[in-house]
Amino acid sequence: EIEIPRSTRLRDQERERVVLTNQQAIVLESAADRPRVAVSGGAGTGKTLLALLEARRQAEAGGRPLLLCFNHL
């Protein structure tokens, strides 16, 4: 029997849980064609999720993404 690493199982489970709205999917798809993207919106609209998904996509493609988040605390 082959043992699947825990990190792989967790990553697969995480991907199964992510469900994007149509608008989020459009933003994420358009981000793939641009070197930089600015996304604005209210709290809970999925901005950070989109940023993380795009950063992960770039990293998996061999890139070195830089994800910056700003907050007026």
Side-chain angles (χ1 to χ4, degrees):
E1 184 174 325
I2 298 173
E3 178 73 24
I4 299 173
R6 180 179 165 88
S7 61
T8 301
R9 290 193 319 258
L10 291 173
R11 186 173 43 244
D12 291 345
Q13 289 172 356
E14 179 181 289
R15 285 185 178 146
E16 290 175 11
R17 285 192 303 246
V18 174
V19 177
L20 300 177
T21 66
N22 289 339
Q23 190 173 14
Q24 289 170 327
I26 290 168
V27 170
L28 188 59
E29 187 176 311
S30 69
D33 302 330
R34 294 171 172 76
R36 278 178 260 150
V37 177
V39 178
S40 63
T45 58
K47 299 177 300 294
T48 303
L49 173 63
L50 293 176
L52 289 171
L53 291 173
E54 178 58 21
R56 178 181 291 157
R57 180 168 42 188
Q58 288 182 16
E60 289 173 350
R64 295 179 58 201
L66 173 63
L67 174 60
L68 303 173
C69 297
F70 178 76
N71 194 323
H72 284 287
L73 290 179

